[in-house]
């Protein structure tokens, strides 16, 4: 059965573009092998990630994510069975969240800042879809 895991976290220390690229390269390599798809959004203060795939694969991946010293304060926003993937075209899509997206943060959250730890699962998925659409346009 297909599941979707959504979590938010904070970078443990400032991360530059090459460190984000390294995270994405590992994610894409591993996720393709595990048939996991998803999307990662990041600003300097927070990560928001959605992962879709087999429940066992997601549980094992989440254990590795929790142990990764590059981020901390992981909050699970949702883990639920889904009928179909929303992010099926990406081994791991990416969007840099920033001040240009204030209207989206307000639309899906409670203020103009990227504070994903406060979002419901549904709002987090909607925000990630909109960030993905803007990144692609
Ligand atoms: P390798 O890159 O070979 O890493 C081996 C070990 O070294 C791991 O324990 C890793 O945590 C550690 N490590 C690697 N680079 C650094 C570094 N610069 N600083 C400190 N420790 C380091 N992995 C996925 O497979 N799929 C994902 O979608 C995914 N998303 C991620 C999102 C975020 C926000 C972060 C921070 C990490 C993500 N990762 C993801 C990485 C994940 O946490 C594990 O590091 C990775 O899955 C381990 O796989 P590996 O052994 O092939 O990685």
């Amino acid at each position: 059965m297909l599941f979707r895991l959504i979590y938010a976290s904070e970078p443990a220390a400032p991360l530059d573009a090459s460190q984000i690229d390294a995270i994405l390269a590992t994610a894409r390599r591993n996720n393709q092998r595990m048939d996991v798809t998803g999307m990662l959004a990041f600003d300097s203060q927070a990560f928001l990630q959605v992962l879709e795939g087999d429940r066992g694969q997601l549980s094992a991946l989440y254990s590795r994510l929790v142990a990764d010293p590059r981020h901390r304060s992981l909050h699970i926003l949702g883990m639920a069975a889904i009928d179909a993937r929303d992010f099926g075209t990406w081994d791991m899509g990416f969007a840099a969240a920033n001040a240009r997206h204030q209207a989206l943060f307000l639309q899906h959250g409670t203020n103009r800042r990227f504070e994903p730890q406060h979002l419901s699962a549904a709002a987090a998925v909607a925000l990630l879809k909109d960030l993905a659409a803007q990144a692609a346009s």
Side-chain angles (χ1 to χ4, degrees):
M1 188 183 278
L2 198 56
F3 274 73
R4 176 165 64 207
L5 169 66
I6 311 165
Y7 76 90
S9 66
E10 299 169 5
L15 293 172
D16 63 25
S18 70
Q19 291 166 305
I20 297 296
D21 286 347
I23 288 171
L24 290 171
T26 299
R28 287 168 181 155
R29 184 185 69 233
N30 290 346
N31 294 357
Q32 186 172 33
R33 196 185 64 239
M34 299 184 294
D35 195 24
V36 167
T37 52
M39 167 100 188
L40 177 69
F42 170 71
D43 77 353
S44 57
Q45 307 295 318
F47 289 106
L48 172 63
Q49 189 172 33
V50 59
L51 296 158
E52 304 165 329
D54 169 79
R55 176 158 53 180
Q57 296 284 13
L58 294 186
S59 297
L61 174 54
Y62 190 71
S63 297
R64 295 202 299 277
L65 287 164
V66 167
D68 192 320
R70 291 170 285 186
H71 63 168
R72 65 185 176 203
S73 305
L74 280 74
H75 291 285
I76 293 180
L77 305 181
M79 173 73 165
I82 53 173
D83 293 329
R85 295 174 194 252
D86 283 314
F87 301 89
T89 54
W90 288 292
D91 297 321
M92 186 46 55
F94 178 71
N98 58 45
R100 286 187 300 120
H101 303 115
Q102 285 182 353
L104 286 184
F105 304 150
L106 191 57
Q107 179 185 339
H108 297 296
T110 53
N111 63 46
R112 293 176 187 279
R113 290 195 309 221
F114 182 59
E115 292 181 336
Q117 66 275 25
H118 300 307
L119 296 177
S120 67
V125 169
L127 174 59
L128 285 165
K129 282 183 182 175
D130 284 349
L131 287 171
Q134 289 204 358
S137 64

